[in-house]
Amino acid sequence: MSIESTLVLVKPDGLKRRLTGEIIQRLERKGLNIVAMKMLKLTKEQAEVHYSVHKGKPFFPGLVEFITSDPLIAMVVKGHSAISVVRNLVGATDGAKASPGTIRGDFAITIDKSVIHASDSVESFEHECPIYFSTDEILDFSYGDEELF
Ligand code: CMP
């Protein structure tokens, strides 16, 4: 079993639409552990670092403006194959194409207001996580119910 960590954001649109509880519930019920969580307003500089892989693409300025427009919820989510498991819960980037039952399939209908972000690889997690959390904010915590999943 491969235990991984992934960065999850409830983006400003998801937060303002009061979807934070729904998203946390889906992560928890899947058997994933939340080991860090905070609400913050991202700076332009932080957003440009997070999304540096997209720099130069036509949607980059709008993405930075959108992600910094209002507060968001950041979480570190840990568990068995957490990166791919969370990506599958999230669904395809374009809400119009995301499968029903996924978070974007159920709550998003465009590609830019995508409700949630989740790291797509270990390398992405290692790039993104320090933007949001210092190492001492990530808890060595287990829910203690792992044998039930
Ligand atoms: P996210 O998973 O946070 O990673 C990059 C984000 O860019 C993505 O979610 C989308 O919400 C956003 N985005 C906006 N426009 C596009 C686009 N044309 N192609 C891909 N991503 C886009």
Side-chain angles (χ1 to χ4, degrees):
M1 181 182 294
S2 168
I3 300 297
E4 295 174 342
S5 295
T6 189
L7 180 85
V8 174
L9 304 179
V10 181
K11 294 183 180 182
D13 56 329
L15 189 150
K16 288 197 288 184
R17 288 174 55 200
R18 305 173 189 269
L19 293 172
T20 303
E22 171 81 33
I23 289 168
I24 288 174
Q25 187 174 47
R26 290 184 182 213
L27 296 168
E28 285 195 321
R29 288 164 96 180
K30 182 69 178 171
L32 295 158
N33 295 340
I34 297 166
V35 292
M37 180 158 60
K38 66 170 70 163
M39 183 172 174
L40 73 153
K41 194 162 180 230
L42 208 59
T43 66
K44 187 167 182 275
E45 291 70 30
Q46 288 172 313
E48 287 178 347
V49 172
H50 179 137
Y51 286 117
S52 56
V53 68
H54 296 302
K55 198 163 185 166
K57 294 181 184 169
F59 62 85
F60 183 75
L63 173 59
V64 170
E65 190 181 342
F66 165 66
I67 203 78
T68 58
S69 62
D70 279 299
L72 51 75
I73 304 291
M75 288 175 257
V76 177
V77 175
K78 192 171 175 181
H80 177 47
S81 301
I83 292 173
S84 60
V85 167
V86 174
R87 293 282 290 187
N88 286 335
L89 289 177
V90 167
T93 308
D94 185 349
K97 296 178 185 151
S99 301
T102 65
I103 293 167
R104 285 173 175 158
D106 290 350
F107 301 114
I109 200 164
T110 63
I111 199 164
D112 51 336
K113 295 197 179 54
S114 56
V115 175
I116 183 168
H117 166 85
S119 307
D120 65 5
S121 65
V122 174
E123 293 72 29
S124 296
F125 171 74
E126 287 170 355
H127 170 74
E128 295 164 2
C129 189
I131 300 167
Y132 298 87
F133 295 100
S134 58
T135 49
D136 66 338
E137 289 176 316
I138 301 168
L139 305 181
D140 182 17
F141 167 73
S142 158
Y143 283 51
D145 59 358
E146 286 71 19
E147 78 283 358
L148 300 177
F149 287 88

